[in-house]
Amino acid sequence: MTAPWTLLTGDCRAVMPPRGPFDLIVADPPYGDTSLAWDRRVDGWLPLARAALRPSGSLWVFGSLRSFMATAAAFEEAGLRYAQEIVWEKQNGSGFHADRFKRVHELVVQFYRADTPWSAVHNAVQTTPDATARTVRRKQRPPHTGDINAGHYVSRDGGPRLMRSVLAIRNCHGRAIHPTEKPVALLDILVRTSCPAGGLVGDWFAGSGAVGATCRLAGRRYVGCETDAAMAERARAHIAALLPFPAGDGA
Ligand SMILES: C[S@@+](CC[C@H](N)C(=O)[O-])C[C@H]1O[C@@H](n2cnc3c(N)ncnc32)[C@H](O)[C@@H]1O
């Protein structure tokens, strides 16, 4: 299954708005947590991203708690509402401070348009095939909710179970082409949850193009943007070299 993709060179604030509307925007901006030259927080992109989202769309943003606390007002001012977050646990991490816990996780937070109810947002919640057999009975309702029949659902061993919000997934250490490259296994969960098949994903801070690689494999259309021209070129080569899995015939 292939889907069209393009990765543009430039500033996402100028380049991405006309490319929408997007079913899903993935954004992995510099967090602005350190004094490193490349780690400069980017201002002004949130209202543009909000305007480029379909009403049923959502925005998944990578960051640290520090970066989200520093930018919380900007999300609200842009008309974006918090939905939920995932904790990505890595097998190793950064140790900027000798006197603090070694940081082995990142946050990925989902937002949606404040003028849209959550029920209208595309949300194909992912499951894992590891349920255990049990019967779950609906909790007793208080009398004022009316006469609701007792209900239950039955799960079976190996059946679907709602995916958990803490995901332990190996990072790309040793094979990454970008210093903060995100693993396709993690991005795949975001893309399948929040973008319908054949839908359009916008990747506003593309880096290695890992989101583009994910979209090719998952059959979603993709527009990415990276400001560093040399990195954008490597990202294009990275995505182009990735062959989609051939359609299986069961043999
Ligand atoms: C945290 S990295 C993204 C890594 C990416 N998610 C991956 O998996 O490889 C952030 C990227 O945003 C780029 N960037 C910074 N400001 C930008 C802007 N205004 N427009 C587009 N890209 C920008 C940086 O050059 C950097 O490559």
Side-chain angles (χ1 to χ4, degrees):
M1 180 168 30
T2 55
W5 63 275
T6 183
L7 195 141
L8 306 158
T9 305
D11 186 323
C12 60
R13 293 167 289 192
V15 165
M16 292 301 270
R19 296 297 183 135
F22 299 102
D23 294 288
L24 162 65
I25 294 177
V26 178
D28 184 13
Y31 295 2
D33 286 352
T34 67
S35 55
L36 297 170
W38 53 266
D39 194 18
R40 293 275 179 275
R41 207 164 273 149
V42 178
D43 294 322
W45 67 276
L46 282 169
L48 300 169
R50 150 70 181 77
L53 263 187
R54 277 190 197 289
S56 60
S58 64
L59 166 67
W60 281 99
V61 185
F62 282 83
S64 60
L65 185 58
R66 184 193 289 263
S67 71
F68 283 113
M69 286 170 69
T71 56
F75 283 92
E76 200 176 332
E77 281 159 19
L80 289 161
R81 184 171 288 158
Y82 161 88
Q84 59 180 332
E85 83 274 3
I86 284 174
V87 177
W88 169 39
E89 184 191 345
K90 308 179 269 191
Q91 82 278 17
N92 59 10
S94 47
F96 287 126
H97 305 282
D99 58 350
R100 308 204 185 159
F101 288 95
K102 184 176 169 115
R103 187 182 154 79
V104 293
H105 72 280
E106 309 288 337
L107 297 178
V108 203
V109 183
Q110 186 184 26
F111 297 87
Y112 62 107
R113 289 171 43 149
D115 61 355
T116 304
W118 171 243
S119 57
V121 175
H122 180 83
N123 183 36
V125 181
Q126 298 296 287
T127 58
T128 51
D130 55 359
T132 47
R134 63 187 185 132
T135 299
V136 178
R137 298 201 181 281
R138 184 187 277 161
K139 285 197 176 72
Q140 201 75 43
R141 303 273 178 154
H144 68 265
T145 59
D147 180 22
I148 300 170
N149 291 335
H152 70 276
Y153 69 85
V154 178
S155 63
R156 56 182 174 77
D157 280 335
R161 189 172 67 140
L162 278 184
M163 196 167 264
R164 295 162 62 90
S165 61
V166 178
L167 297 164
I169 294 175
R170 292 189 71 78
N171 65 18
C172 307
H173 189 70
R175 61 195 155 82
I177 63 167
H178 189 283
T180 63
E181 184 168 330
K182 303 301 179 288
V184 167
L186 172 67
L187 298 169
D188 186 68
I189 294 166
L190 307 182
V191 165
R192 289 181 193 277
T193 300
S194 302
C195 181
L200 180 64
V201 176
D203 178 17
W204 287 44
F205 301 87
S208 66
V211 176
T214 306
C215 289
R216 274 200 94 184
L217 293 170
R220 269 65 171 178
R221 292 173 291 129
Y222 172 80
V223 180
C225 176
E226 169 56 47
T227 192
D228 175 337
M231 181 48 67
E233 194 50 48
R234 293 187 75 188
R236 279 189 281 273
H238 177 205
I239 300 171
L242 181 94
L243 293 178
F245 297 128
D249 59 4

